[in-house]
Amino acid sequence: MAAGGFCKLPTGSVVVALNLPRPTAHGTGCVRVLVHAQNRARALTRLRNLGMRAVYLRGNAAPPTPDEITAVLHHPDGLIWRTAPDNGVVPGPELAQELWHPIRALLRRPAATP
């Protein structure tokens, strides 16, 4: 089960944030995915339509921060991701933060090596 949460906006739409596992070359990592949609069900449907079939939102343990909400609202697709911190602590200003990526960069398959 993925940790995550949601935030209802004054316009009636929601921003859903989920921490999802992502296999990497160094083991297993996590990514933070943000989705902007009309309601929670549509947000999860958008992820399921991209092939993330086992995505569920139970509770509101890790809602999106104001900075995350701003980032997803300003993205034309309304669906972005970046690597989640390992310990679940948001990095301070002294640590460089990774920029947000469009979802197609996460779904892109690595090129096969001959």
Side-chain angles (χ1 to χ4, degrees):
M1 182 170 53
F6 67 95
C7 179
K8 189 162 182 138
L9 302 176
T11 60
S13 61
V14 296
V15 174
V16 174
L18 293 167
N19 288 354
L20 302 173
R22 176 186 184 203
T24 62
H26 305 293
T28 306
C30 285
V31 293
R32 179 95 165 154
V33 178
L34 298 175
V35 185
H36 179 237
Q38 290 302 314
N39 55 45
R40 286 178 286 176
R42 285 190 182 184
L44 296 176
T45 300
R46 287 185 74 187
L47 291 174
R48 290 182 187 128
N49 288 343
L50 292 171
M52 299 178 198
R53 300 287 183 210
V55 175
Y56 296 98
L57 180 62
R58 301 208 168 131
N60 200 13
T65 64
D67 290 338
E68 291 176 335
I69 294 170
T70 302
V72 75
L73 290 177
H74 283 89
H75 194 273
D77 293 338
L79 190 56
I80 56 178
W81 71 278
R82 73 175 170 194
T83 306
D86 291 335
N87 57 3
V89 176
V90 178
E94 66 278 355
L95 297 174
Q97 289 188 1
E98 180 183 2
L99 297 176
W100 291 99
H101 306 284
I103 197 69
R104 59 187 168 269
L106 179 65
L107 301 175
R108 188 178 307 140
R109 299 179 199 268
T113 56

